[in-house]
Amino acid sequence: MPTPLNAAPEVSRPPDREPWLYELTVPEAAEIDAAFATLLASGAADFAAREADFPLPRVGPKLRRILRSIEDEPGFALVRGVPVAGKSEQEVRRLYWGLGIHLGVPLIQNNSDSHMVDIRDEGRAGRLRVHSSNQHIGFHIDSTDIVGLLCRRAAARGGTSLVTSAEAVRREISWAHPELLPALYEPLPFADVASPDEHHPDFFLCPVFGRHEGRTTTRFYLRRILRSQDNPAAPRLTGLQRRAIEAVEETAARPDLVTTMEFQPGDLQLINNHLVLHGRTTFDSSEGSDTGRHLLRMWWSVPTSRPLPPEFEAAWGTREPGTLRGAARRWQLQGEFGEFQRRQAGELGVVIPA
């Protein structure tokens, strides 16, 4: 595939304003609380719940407008003011599930069949995933169209969210390191998060950058590219490829390219993984998992998702827009949760691939 022409030397900076910040009004927060009360009164279990069980006549359309907006730059949004104060952990989970019904088709995220994952320090850092620790997480994408992080508790210190435009990173590398750019359009091995053995992970091939219909699409996770080398069947990374992926990580972290977010309880961050890289700084976990930083993560397929470049199909299972895709295909459409996914896809207009 031909590499796009180098860009003119310029510096991309975060906006002086914060067009990505959406603050809920008092009536909008009250509408969410009322919807939560309706869900509890209905007695509907999570997988049986529908939009009518969590009615959001104003907030629901607003959230969907935000989702449509992040199909283009900046590719992320922060919704501030979700009413989590005074609620137990289980209540926040149910409230988040109700919001998620309005956003997309949720995906299973791991081999434990979790559709909502805790992001907090549990003293565990795996070889492929480190979200159950307080460690720094480098720039990456999640294996889903849209990832949502709802802050239940913020860290006393640290845990800053970092987001960077993949197109800005591509452009800066094209100017500063043009000799590295072709390697980022070549298929590279990624350790598969669905691998049953993270010491000898399965792998798939995908480029870091692709272009389709005038848009840059990305797939990047330095840790998983490097971990692919634990599988002797994976292609060996060349020296040029290693320098290229290290340049992506270093460029994404440049202060003039990064947008930082300090989470507050009730913040809902939404990220389009096809055009934004994200990470986080280390955080103080001395408070413990019961009182310290706690986010809840959901993954969604959405009807407004973009078509992907042909060379991304192996990584995603399908490149068609508005389809159920992401995570591991064998995790999806199974059992009771799979029935919910099928119903939700039908109601939202998300296509289930054959």
Side-chain angles (χ1 to χ4, degrees):
M1 170 178 184
T3 301
L5 294 176
N6 292 351
E10 61 176 286
V11 175
S12 300
R13 299 183 181 278
D16 294 329
R17 296 170 59 251
E18 297 175 343
W20 42 264
L21 179 61
Y22 299 83
E23 298 192 67
L24 296 176
T25 64
V26 172
E28 288 170 337
E31 181 176 281
I32 294 174
D33 263 334
F36 177 59
T38 299
L39 178 64
L40 296 183
S42 74
D46 283 352
F47 299 165
R50 298 174 180 265
E51 284 190 12
D53 297 309
F54 201 92
L56 296 175
R58 288 192 297 175
V59 176
K62 180 174 184 175
L63 291 175
R64 288 189 287 272
R65 286 195 299 272
I66 292 171
L67 279 184
R68 288 194 296 271
S69 76
I70 65 175
E71 271 304 316
D72 295 297
E73 297 287 353
F76 60 90
L78 188 73
V79 180
R80 176 155 288 165
V82 176
V84 301
K87 293 181 175 64
S88 68
E89 179 174 329
Q90 185 57 35
E91 287 173 333
V92 173
R93 289 179 186 279
R94 294 224 71 198
L95 183 148
Y96 192 19
W97 181 256
L99 287 175
I101 291 173
H102 292 265
L103 289 170
V105 181
L107 301 180
I108 295 295
Q109 302 178 43
N110 54 35
N111 286 320
S112 299
D113 294 336
S114 300
H115 57 270
M116 189 179 296
V117 169
D118 294 292
I119 309 296
R120 57 184 166 192
D121 183 18
E122 298 175 350
R124 295 184 289 110
R127 293 169 68 85
L128 297 180
R129 286 178 150 177
V130 296
H131 61 263
S132 295
S133 74
N134 69 334
Q135 292 183 15
H136 163 79
I137 298 180
F139 285 93
H140 66 284
I141 71 136
D142 284 14
S143 303
T144 181
D145 292 317
I146 302 293
V147 56
L149 291 170
L150 176 64
C151 179
R152 178 172 169 251
R153 288 191 305 256
R157 287 174 296 278
T160 301
S161 176
L162 312 170
V163 293
T164 300
S165 161
E167 170 57 19
V169 172
R170 187 206 67 81
R171 187 170 59 244
E172 295 299 325
I173 291 175
S174 76
W175 172 55
H177 304 287
E179 76 284 0
L180 300 180
L181 196 59
L184 298 172
Y185 283 87
E186 299 169 354
L188 297 176
F190 286 73
D192 191 339
V193 72
S195 302
D197 180 2
E198 63 177 12
H199 292 279
H200 300 90
D202 299 328
F203 70 93
F204 57 83
L205 298 175
C206 187
V208 171
F209 295 129
R211 293 282 288 179
H212 185 64
E213 297 183 354
R215 287 170 157 177
T216 291
T217 296
T218 191
R219 181 135 192 163
F220 182 73
Y221 204 148
L222 179 63
R223 184 185 190 92
R224 292 188 191 153
I225 297 174
L226 295 177
R227 286 297 181 196
S228 73
Q229 304 300 277
D230 293 342
N231 186 330
R236 298 299 91 181
L237 294 169
T238 68
L240 182 67
Q241 288 171 333
R242 287 179 179 271
R243 291 196 299 275
I245 58 178
E246 288 167 0
V248 173
E249 182 77 22
E250 293 167 3
T251 304
R254 272 178 33 184
D256 58 318
L257 297 183
V258 147
T259 297
T260 61
M261 298 183 191
E262 303 294 343
F263 285 139
Q264 302 175 15
D267 282 355
L268 173 59
Q269 183 190 63
L270 300 169
I271 289 178
N272 185 321
N273 285 291
H274 301 301
L275 65 159
V276 170
L277 306 174
H278 66 281
R280 75 156 188 233
T281 67
T282 187
F283 63 91
D284 181 3
S285 62
S286 60
E287 301 155 292
S289 62
D290 293 333
T291 56
R293 185 181 192 264
H294 185 202
L295 310 179
L296 295 170
R297 184 180 72 200
M298 289 188 70
W299 287 357
W300 294 284
S301 289
V302 294
T304 54
S305 66
R306 64 177 53 193
L308 301 178
E311 59 271 23
F312 279 56
E313 184 164 2
W316 288 93
T318 178
R319 51 184 293 265
E320 296 304 314
T323 56
L324 186 76
R325 65 187 182 194
R329 296 188 73 174
R330 64 179 175 81
W331 292 342
Q332 315 308 325
L333 302 172
Q334 303 298 316
E336 184 184 8
F337 187 75
E339 293 175 8
F340 168 79
Q341 288 180 306
R342 290 182 185 279
R343 190 185 76 231
Q344 184 78 348
E347 292 179 355
L348 294 179
V350 173
V351 176
I352 295 179

